[in-house]
């Protein structure tokens, strides 16, 4: 809700779709790997109490057997950062989210470039118990 607050209008349907879309995470026939930067985890779009709850939720997702959630700490040297959020669906399609919309890439060279960038970032991330511990400390700081 907070991420849409700057856009005029009723956002109820959009929010409901975003929440509904999360149900796919519980479909064990699908696999997901998410990477977040510490800056994204700590971004104060909502108040500290709500942000702590969101951070706890992220940590809980690391227990799902089909979900890998990694956090890249600010102390990890990552090299150039991606300028936009991107999603790689498989080796055939990747999307990049811009403020003006979404770009879809189907050219194998473009998809491979995003896979390589993802791999560089993934190598710097904390996963599993390390991610849970890190996220727990972030949430504790907010409380």
């Amino acid at each position: 809700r907070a991420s849409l607050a700057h856009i005029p209008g009723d956002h109820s349907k959009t929010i409901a779709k975003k929440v509904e879309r999360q149900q796919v995470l519980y479909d064990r026939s699908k696999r997901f790997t998410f990477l977040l930067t510490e800056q994204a985890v700590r971004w104060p779009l909502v108040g500290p109490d709500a942000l702590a709850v969101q951070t706890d939720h992220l940590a809980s997702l690391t227990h799902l057997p089909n979900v890998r959630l990694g956090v890249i700490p600010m102390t990890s040297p990552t090299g150039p950062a991606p300028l936009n959020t991107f999603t790689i669906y498989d080796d055939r399609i990747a999307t990049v989210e811009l403020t003006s919309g979404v770009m879809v890439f189907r050219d194998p060279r473009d998809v491979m470039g995003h896979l390589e960038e993802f791999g560089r970032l993934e190598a710097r991330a904390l996963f599993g118990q390390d991610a849970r511990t890190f996220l727990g400390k972030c949430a504790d700081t907010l409380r």
Side-chain angles (χ1 to χ4, degrees), residues 8-96:
D10 179 16
H11 305 111
S12 302
K13 289 181 183 176
T14 301
I15 293 165
K17 284 183 182 182
K18 285 179 179 267
V19 171
E20 180 183 327
R21 189 172 66 188
Q22 291 179 27
Q23 293 305 309
V24 72
L25 296 175
Y26 301 95
D27 180 347
R28 290 187 180 198
S29 70
K30 300 186 182 331
R31 293 178 343 170
F32 303 91
T33 300
F34 298 101
L35 290 180
L36 299 166
T37 62
E38 179 179 349
Q39 296 90 325
V41 171
R42 293 182 183 269
W43 191 259
L45 191 58
V46 294
D49 292 337
L51 192 54
V53 170
Q54 288 178 354
T55 304
D56 289 336
H57 177 66
L58 290 172
S60 74
L61 293 175
T62 67
H63 291 284
L64 294 175
N66 60 322
V67 174
R68 285 183 72 230
L69 188 143
V71 182
I72 304 170
M74 285 190 279
T75 56
S76 178
T78 58
L83 299 176
N84 299 293
T85 299
F86 63 93
T87 303
I88 303 166
Y89 293 89
D90 54 28
D91 61 354
R92 297 170 295 168
I93 187 169
T95 60
V96 176

Side-chain angles (χ1 to χ4, degrees), residues 63-132:
H63 291 284
L64 294 175
N66 60 322
V67 174
R68 285 183 72 230
L69 188 143
V71 182
I72 304 170
M74 285 190 279
T75 56
S76 178
T78 58
L83 299 176
N84 299 293
T85 299
F86 63 93
T87 303
I88 303 166
Y89 293 89
D90 54 28
D91 61 354
R92 297 170 295 168
I93 187 169
T95 60
V96 176
E97 295 177 36
L98 308 168
T99 55
S100 58
V102 175
M103 294 178 65
V104 178
F105 295 95
R106 295 181 194 277
D107 185 298
R109 293 169 296 184
D110 294 329
V111 176
M112 183 55 65
H114 284 91
L115 282 166
E116 289 169 0
E117 183 173 6
F118 189 87
R120 285 189 298 274
L121 295 169
E122 185 178 26
R124 307 277 197 256
L126 302 173
F127 287 94
Q129 186 57 51
D130 292 336
R132 283 189 289 279

